[in-house]
Amino acid sequence: MMNRWDIFVITFYCLDDYWDDHQTDELGNICSSMNPFLFEDKGSADPAVWEVFCEYYEEKEYKVEEGFEIAKKYVATLDSQEATKAMENVSLEEWKDTYEEYLNPTE
């Protein structure tokens, strides 16, 4: 199960991973604004990004598959062809693997 924060973070990881190989200003700006690790508390580098995400999705437990669908729907709201292309590049299996790595980081 995933919560809203988990979905946001894994979405960021997926976009950022795609950006590593397809560096465009558009996607770079999205990743920079979305960065959930800039502050200690939950949020994003641009606080409005996390606030808008929270307006779309309530805080509850979601199945991992639901989280994947939410991520794709959220990215579609960003009106970015690059971000949409990045999420289309992610399979459900990759999403699950990324989430598993997030839950169990290796030292």
Side-chain angles (χ1 to χ4, degrees):
M1 298 297 281
M2 309 178 84
N3 61 37
R4 175 173 62 187
W5 177 249
D6 297 334
I7 296 167
F8 185 79
V9 170
I10 303 307
T11 303
F12 167 77
Y13 279 148
C14 291
L15 295 177
D16 191 57
D17 184 59
Y18 186 85
W19 181 84
D20 286 342
D21 295 326
H22 306 88
Q23 296 186 6
T24 64
D25 289 341
E26 180 182 335
L27 190 55
N29 289 335
I30 289 170
C31 290
S32 292
S33 296
M34 210 177 158
N35 187 336
F37 304 112
L38 196 58
F39 303 109
E40 286 187 33
D41 290 341
K42 288 182 180 177
S44 53
D46 176 350
V49 174
W50 171 241
E51 290 170 12
V52 168
F53 186 85
C54 290
E55 289 173 9
Y56 286 126
Y57 307 104
E58 64 183 283
E59 180 55 62
K60 68 176 198 170
E61 293 294 312
Y62 297 92
K63 293 178 184 174
V64 176
E65 296 81 4
E66 290 174 310
F68 183 54
E69 293 304 316
I70 286 169
K72 291 192 294 187
K73 287 178 185 174
Y74 170 71
V75 168
T77 71
L78 301 177
D79 197 30
S80 164
Q81 289 182 345
E82 289 299 313
T84 299
K85 196 183 318 180
M87 281 309 295
E88 288 172 353
N89 191 56
V90 177
S91 68
L92 177 58
E93 200 58 41
E94 290 168 316
W95 175 265
K96 289 178 178 180
D97 290 346
T98 302
Y99 183 51
E100 221 23 70
E101 289 173 22
Y102 167 71
L103 291 177
N104 303 299
T106 55
E107 303 293 316

